[in-house]
Amino acid sequence: MSFFRNIFLPVYDSLDRFFKFGNVLKKGDTAIQIGIDMDRTTTSDLFHMARIVGKTGTIIGIEPSPYNIEKIKKANTYMCNLILVQKATYSSKGK
């Protein structure tokens, strides 16, 4: 298990972050995350985006779960400007 945690996860996280956001986000940008996956803070897109935009950037996170909002607040040790909105989102077909 330590091999997986110490070797594989950091490599996976770097590749995941690069392929999802590498050409889209840069330091100082503003990004929006709708629905925040909090299975692991290391694989959450919110935290990937925060690492990229840095302390001069802003992340807006929209999440309905109060449990996830609290987890994000506790894990917010290295983050950029973080705006959390506890609301649900949905889509529907127009008339």
Side-chain angles (χ1 to χ4, degrees):
M1 187 63 159
S2 65
F3 168 79
F4 179 77
R5 186 174 293 128
N6 295 333
I7 305 294
F8 179 75
L9 277 180
V11 171
Y12 171 80
D13 287 346
S14 294
L15 290 172
D16 187 43
R17 185 170 45 248
F18 174 78
F19 286 114
K20 284 183 180 173
F21 308 112
N23 296 326
V24 180
L25 288 177
K26 61 185 180 305
K27 196 170 280 287
D29 278 354
T30 297
I32 301 171
Q33 174 72 34
I34 300 173
I36 302 166
D37 172 23
M38 286 301 296
D39 286 341
R40 293 182 47 85
T41 57
T42 57
T43 59
S44 173
D45 289 345
L46 179 94
F47 293 96
H48 284 325
M49 291 188 296
R51 286 185 192 104
I52 294 168
V53 303
K55 294 192 184 283
T56 58
T58 300
I59 301 293
I60 301 167
I62 303 171
E63 170 62 42
S65 167
Y67 174 77
N68 281 349
I69 294 288
E70 286 306 309
K71 278 182 79 172
I72 294 162
K73 287 178 181 176
K74 288 179 184 173
N76 183 19
T77 58
Y78 56 84
M79 285 232 171
C80 57
N81 299 312
L82 178 63
I83 300 167
L84 294 174
V85 179
Q86 188 180 337
K87 297 286 182 188
T89 58
Y90 68 95
S91 63
S92 62
K93 276 190 168 183
K95 293 183 181 181

